[in-house]
Amino acid sequence: EAQVTQNPRYLITVTGKKLTVTCSQNMNHEYMSWYRQDPGLGLRQIYYSMNVEVTDKGDVPEGYKVSRKEKRNFPLILESPSPNQTSLYFCASSLLGPGGGEQYFGPGTRLTVT
Amino acid sequence: GQQVMQIPQYQHVQEGEDFTTYCNSSTTLSNIQWYKQRPGGHPVFLIQLVKSGEVKKQKRLTFQFGEAKKNSSLHITATQTTDVGTYFCAGPLIGWGGGADGLTFGKGTHLIIQP
């Protein structure tokens, strides 16, 4: 089954404790991205990757890092989480990139930073 | 900067009534996508429009892309409880090199249906 998986689905952590949210897709997609969703603000892009070892900042990259060492994986790293990073995070992938068609979204990771 | 604005933010309808959400971009879009997110779920792709003036239908859903490719709409005829959710439009962000760098989403329209 074609899918995007994220782990963990729920996470409660404390300020400053480094964490990684994993994202994996099994569709051989080149383009992957991370979004955060906050009430009233919709979906905002954090980082995206056009291919292996190619990453770039989206609208709200501050406080986040990503890496793309393999085509299927695109982890999101919060080196020193802060309460304002409490949010719902979605990973997405697509075959042709942002202008080229359907984005497949993962199930989401709900992060709470206290 | 490039923005995609969507209205209304919330729409309450009685079951069986029609629903429309509108999307406007500050710049011309090469294409526009529409997504639906059910409560507690993740966004799911509905459709992509590419051509100026394009109209596409999916059962009770009608999608339009404006002639100037700066606006779009989604119309649902005779809403059903299964239509509940948030509808987002999204357009590609154009980078300095002229290519699509990312995707910018409207803030979404929450459709609430009263039986």
Side-chain angles (χ1 to χ4, degrees):
Chain A
E1 180 191 354
Q3 60 182 351
V4 178
T5 56
Q6 293 179 228
N7 282 292
R9 295 289 312 280
Y10 302 90
L11 180 59
I12 301 174
T13 189
V14 296
T15 298
K17 186 176 181 182
K18 182 179 177 179
L19 67 92
T20 299
V21 183
T22 64
C23 172
S24 184
Q25 51 93 5
N26 63 0
M27 296 168 279
N28 202 35
H29 286 169
E30 292 191 347
Y31 182 85
M32 298 185 74
S33 58
W34 276 102
Y35 297 87
R36 60 176 290 173
Q37 185 173 34
D38 303 288
L41 297 178
L43 288 155
R44 293 179 294 168
Q45 193 168 43
I46 303 170
Y47 267 94
Y48 62 93
S49 170
M50 295 287 199
N51 212 327
V52 174
E53 301 291 2
V54 181
T55 63
D56 212 339
K57 297 177 181 178
D59 293 328
V60 288
E62 293 78 21
Y64 304 95
K65 285 175 57 176
V66 292
S67 70
R68 187 89 182 274
K69 293 181 169 54
E70 306 166 280
K71 200 171 191 177
R72 63 182 295 128
N73 296 323
F74 190 44
L76 179 69
I77 303 153
L78 284 73
E79 295 269 4
S80 183
S82 62
N84 65 13
Q85 292 178 299
T86 292
S87 186
L88 178 58
Y89 292 86
F90 288 103
C91 179
S93 74
S94 71
L95 181 63
L96 298 175
E102 179 174 2
Q103 303 274 317
Y104 292 80
F105 283 81
T109 296
R110 188 167 291 281
L111 172 66
T112 302
V113 184
T114 60
Chain B
Q2 190 173 346
Q3 291 184 10
V4 173
M5 292 152 285
Q6 195 172 350
I7 58 168
Q9 187 175 0
Y10 292 91
Q11 184 75 57
H12 293 252
V13 301
Q14 294 283 336
E15 188 175 7
E17 290 182 339
D18 292 356
F19 159 78
T20 305
T21 174
Y22 301 90
C23 191
N24 288 287
S25 170
S26 57
T27 59
T28 301
L29 298 169
S30 59
N31 66 74
I32 194 157
Q33 300 173 9
W34 285 93
Y35 291 81
K36 176 184 178 182
Q37 184 177 22
R38 294 181 186 273
H42 58 275
V44 174
F45 177 83
L46 293 176
I47 208 162
Q48 176 171 287
L49 305 173
V50 179
K51 298 176 184 175
S52 169
E54 189 170 14
V55 177
K56 285 189 176 180
K57 293 192 175 186
Q58 290 179 350
K59 297 183 180 177
R60 293 179 295 104
L61 278 61
T62 301
F63 303 85
Q64 295 190 12
F65 200 11
E67 293 289 341
K69 301 182 76 172
K70 295 179 76 172
N71 58 75
S72 182
S73 65
L74 158 58
H75 179 83
I76 301 178
T77 303
T79 54
Q80 300 174 359
T81 54
T82 54
D83 296 324
V84 164
T86 304
Y87 293 84
F88 294 96
C89 61
L93 281 165
I94 303 302
W96 292 107
D101 278 353
L103 203 60
T104 187
F105 280 77
K107 292 184 179 179
T109 296
H110 300 266
L111 173 59
I112 298 125
I113 297 176
Q114 292 149 343

